[in-house]
Amino acid sequence: MTETPLVLPFTDERCRDVDLTGGKGASLASMTANGLPVPPGFVITSAAFAAAVDGDTLLAHLKERDLDAARAVVAATQPPRELIQAAYDQLPANCSVAVRSSACAEDSSDASYAGQQETYLFVETFEEVMDKIVECWLSFFSERALFYREHKGDLNDIAMAVVVQQMVDATKAGVMFTVDPVNHRRDRIVIEAAFGIGENVVSGEVTPDYYTLDRKGALKKSKIVKDQVMAESELADLVKLGLHLAELNGGPQDIEWAYDDTGLFMLQSRPVTTM
């Protein structure tokens, strides 16, 4: 009987199993396998949490709606340190990382798990990584996340993975939709971009430039906030990669991307569920 892996690098084909590595982890593994520019990383699988946590006690507390007791069980759970250390040591020396929750429940037209759990950026040391993994696990049991699962999913679902990935120190970043989800146009691509890291765009902390392009990468419309963030050649490159991802995944994609001093990276791709 094959043992279920607790930690998997993006390069391992088993990492593409969404039940094991969550939507984010499986997406990054799939992009890596298809040769897209993805920063290296690994996933602490849903099996790692299941193996470490006292699941019966946790589910009992959840059934009783005792959130404090449930979170205490999670807080006391220890990730598989040696396996994580081995995977962490394979990343570039002295790089900072992002530690990101990766829900295993699939998005649907009326339920999107994006933003329900935590992400931690510019994590500098291995000990901090270990702490943030537990924080990601804990975020799956916040009042907000549990309320959402109770109404849109399954309260007994405790399967969550955690992604650890080399941080991109972005000069510019943002999101791309391979359709126009607001105007419901499949012949248009929408790109939002700002200087600095993409989290500023995703969280709404900054107002991004807004670009609308056709499927050949030609700019049709733009709204520039101050200094234009994107060159038209960069927009065309993004469109090309975005449509490639949409083809690979069999449907429109919501993509996070970033440029640093070395070039373009794809950070996440998930289905657009509003078309």
Side-chain angles (χ1 to χ4, degrees), residues 117-213:
Q117 286 83 46
E118 291 296 335
T119 288
Y120 299 95
L121 306 178
F122 294 103
V123 181
E124 300 292 340
T125 69
F126 176 72
E127 293 304 328
E128 286 181 271
V129 168
M130 293 296 291
D131 290 341
K132 297 309 182 189
I133 291 167
V134 177
E135 291 294 326
C136 285
W137 285 348
L138 279 167
S139 73
F140 201 57
F141 301 94
S142 67
E143 287 186 20
R144 177 189 177 203
L146 286 170
F147 178 85
Y148 192 86
R149 284 211 302 288
E150 188 172 19
H151 289 83
K152 297 285 188 178
D154 183 356
L155 197 60
N156 292 321
D157 173 19
I158 60 172
M160 189 182 72
V162 178
V163 169
V164 177
Q165 182 178 29
Q166 182 181 357
M167 190 74 205
V168 176
D169 192 4
T171 56
K172 59 182 74 174
V175 295
M176 168 171 50
F177 301 92
T178 62
V179 290
D180 183 338
V182 175
N183 297 306
H184 297 278
R185 291 189 61 169
R186 292 182 177 271
D187 63 335
R188 291 291 184 262
I189 287 86
V190 172
I191 295 173
E192 297 179 4
F195 293 112
I197 62 172
E199 194 70 14
N200 295 334
V201 175
V202 174
S203 66
E205 289 182 23
V206 300
T207 302
D209 284 1
Y210 188 93
Y211 307 91
T212 303
L213 304 101

Side-chain angles (χ1 to χ4, degrees), residues 18-32:
V18 70
D19 291 331
L20 198 58
T21 60
K24 196 177 280 99
S27 169
L28 289 165
S30 177
M31 286 194 287
T32 299

Side-chain angles (χ1 to χ4, degrees), residues 3-25:
E3 186 175 343
T4 304
L6 305 185
V7 177
L8 284 172
F10 296 165
T11 51
D12 191 309
E13 64 178 14
R14 293 171 296 175
C15 199
R16 287 175 264 171
D17 181 351
V18 70
D19 291 331
L20 198 58
T21 60
K24 196 177 280 99

